[in-house]
Amino acid sequence: MSEAPGVRTSTDYPIPAQMKAWVLGGPDELFLRDKPVPMPGRAEVLVRIDAVAICATDLEIIHSGSPASIQGGLPFNKNFTPGHEYMGTVVALGPDVDEYRIGERISVEIHAGCGQCKRCRQGMYTSCLNYGKPEKGHRANGFTTDGGFAEYAVNHINTLARVPDTMSDAEATLVVTAGTSMYGLTELGGLVAGESVVVIGPGPIGLLAVAVAKAIGASPVILTGTRNKRLAIGKELGADRTININDEDAVAVVRELTGGIGADYVVECAGTEPTIDQAIRMTNRGGKICLAAFPHERVTLDIAQLAKNNIYLYGIRGEGRSATRRAMALMAEKRFDATRIHTHTFPLADLPTALRYARERIDDAIKVVVTVRQAAAVASAAE
């Protein structure tokens, strides 16, 4: 990395001028290239990436481009590096940064808002009105700026969460997933102790939504899906009841378990028309629904059911309101074992294979983690 005014480094963490990074060409085309190591600016740090998890949104970006936006358009053939669920080590500090020190292990969240628009001032930086405008201060690593399928990345200090020594690199990559689940529950009701929660869809976000809801006192926590192996993991993460919708009527079971009135909160993590319809029909009057998945097609909703029963419908983007830090606090206290969703690990050089495992769910892959350091530190869990 070239010297820059005010940037502090350490001889303990030598920084090369060039790094290896995967670059998106056309749809489904990734190339391992040399890129300059980026330089942190004001309120930023340089992160040596140690591990990065693969998200379903990464697969969408690599295949179709959306929801990434580079230079105002699709990210293809723009020297763009995707990937956003990463953790690593702080190796350089931007001018006047004293909130972190070189050598600290951190996990990241995606979004750093501009800090000046109406939504950012309200704390809704994942809905920044200057989204996609780095010249205005907005960053969304892996979406509007380079992401984590590389050896180094620049992050705003507001996006960092310290990783405890008792947490492995792989587990620390899962804080973004847990943070998204936490954000959904925050928008629905904050602390939901004693409230009934249904989670639809046992993917990574759904499974950790079960874990987070249980950790903050929801009762009962109900998980629906179609894959028994994943439903079993949901039980391990705290689900009081699981429902295979191929075998049981999910709406009827939820109403039975809630005294006939339906659930207080439903977190919809499947993103299909039938499951969104189920969410509406299993929510009680005055209850709340969080849409945590992006539907790939237009869906038809029973708006009358929502209106007549005063049901609130929320969409979320990312892991806002510092949800990653709160999720990290729960994970650090071992309130749940996020590693239950980590199924496969590959080195950075083998990213295409890792993506194939995630896309095709080979060996029932749930969360695939890519290690960037050749000898990534694996911490032992506290006894």
Side-chain angles (χ1 to χ4, degrees), residues 245-278:
I245 62 174
N246 290 329
D247 303 327
E248 298 182 275
D249 182 333
V251 175
V253 173
V254 167
R255 289 194 170 276
E256 179 183 354
L257 292 171
T258 55
I261 63 172
D264 296 310
Y265 303 138
V266 177
V267 184
E268 205 291 311
C269 302
T272 69
E273 185 170 302
T275 54
I276 295 173
D277 177 68
Q278 286 176 1

Side-chain angles (χ1 to χ4, degrees), residues 202-204 207 223 227-235 242 361 364-367:
L207 288 170
L223 174 65
R227 287 165 282 181
N228 286 328
K229 185 177 287 188
R230 293 198 178 191
L231 292 172
I233 294 173
K235 288 282 283 186
T242 60
R361 296 174 180 168
D364 201 24
I366 301 177
K367 207 65 173 177

Side-chain angles (χ1 to χ4, degrees), residues 165-314:
D165 293 339
T166 54
M167 187 176 292
S168 70
D169 288 356
E171 183 177 3
T173 67
L174 305 177
V175 73
V176 170
T177 306
T180 301
S181 303
M182 174 71 82
Y183 184 36
L185 290 166
T186 297
E187 295 304 278
L188 289 184
L191 296 176
V192 293
E195 302 293 309
S196 54
V197 173
V198 178
V199 178
I200 297 176
I205 292 175
L207 288 170
L208 291 192
V210 166
V212 171
K214 194 65 178 179
I216 58 180
S219 180
V221 177
I222 304 162
L223 174 65
T224 77
T226 60
R227 287 165 282 181
N228 286 328
K229 185 177 287 188
R230 293 198 178 191
L231 292 172
I233 294 173
K235 288 282 283 186
E236 294 175 12
L237 287 169
D240 298 296
R241 176 72 152 83
T242 60
I243 304 168
N244 188 317
I245 62 174
N246 290 329
D247 303 327
E248 298 182 275
D249 182 333
V251 175
V253 173
V254 167
R255 289 194 170 276
E256 179 183 354
L257 292 171
T258 55
I261 63 172
D264 296 310
Y265 303 138
V266 177
V267 184
E268 205 291 311
C269 302
T272 69
E273 185 170 302
T275 54
I276 295 173
D277 177 68
Q278 286 176 1
I280 293 171
R281 292 187 293 116
M282 65 175 55
T283 303
N284 63 31
R285 290 175 180 160
K288 299 177 181 180
I289 300 170
C290 170
L291 301 180
F294 298 157
H296 293 284
E297 300 173 355
R298 285 180 177 269
V299 297
T300 300
L301 299 182
D302 188 349
I303 300 297
Q305 183 78 0
L306 293 173
K308 287 187 297 184
N309 291 290
N310 200 34
I311 293 172
Y312 298 84
L313 187 66
Y314 293 79

Side-chain angles (χ1 to χ4, degrees), residues 33-112:
R33 296 284 188 256
D34 288 327
K35 293 179 74 169
V37 173
M39 189 182 310
R42 180 189 171 279
E44 294 178 338
V45 302
L46 179 66
V47 178
R48 183 195 70 192
I49 299 173
D50 297 332
V52 53
I54 294 172
C55 174
T57 308
D58 295 325
L59 303 177
E60 292 181 30
I61 289 170
I62 292 167
H63 178 68
S64 64
S66 179
S69 176
I70 302 296
Q71 300 164 15
L74 293 178
F76 300 123
N77 300 303
K78 293 180 179 177
N79 201 34
F80 166 66
T81 296
H84 59 272
E85 296 187 347
Y86 56 90
M87 61 78 59
T89 303
V90 176
V91 294
L93 306 175
D96 300 317
V97 169
D98 57 11
E99 292 83 356
Y100 290 86
R101 57 180 174 78
I102 292 173
E104 282 192 291
R105 295 171 70 230
I106 53 85
S107 185
V108 305
E109 61 178 280
I110 304 158
H111 299 269

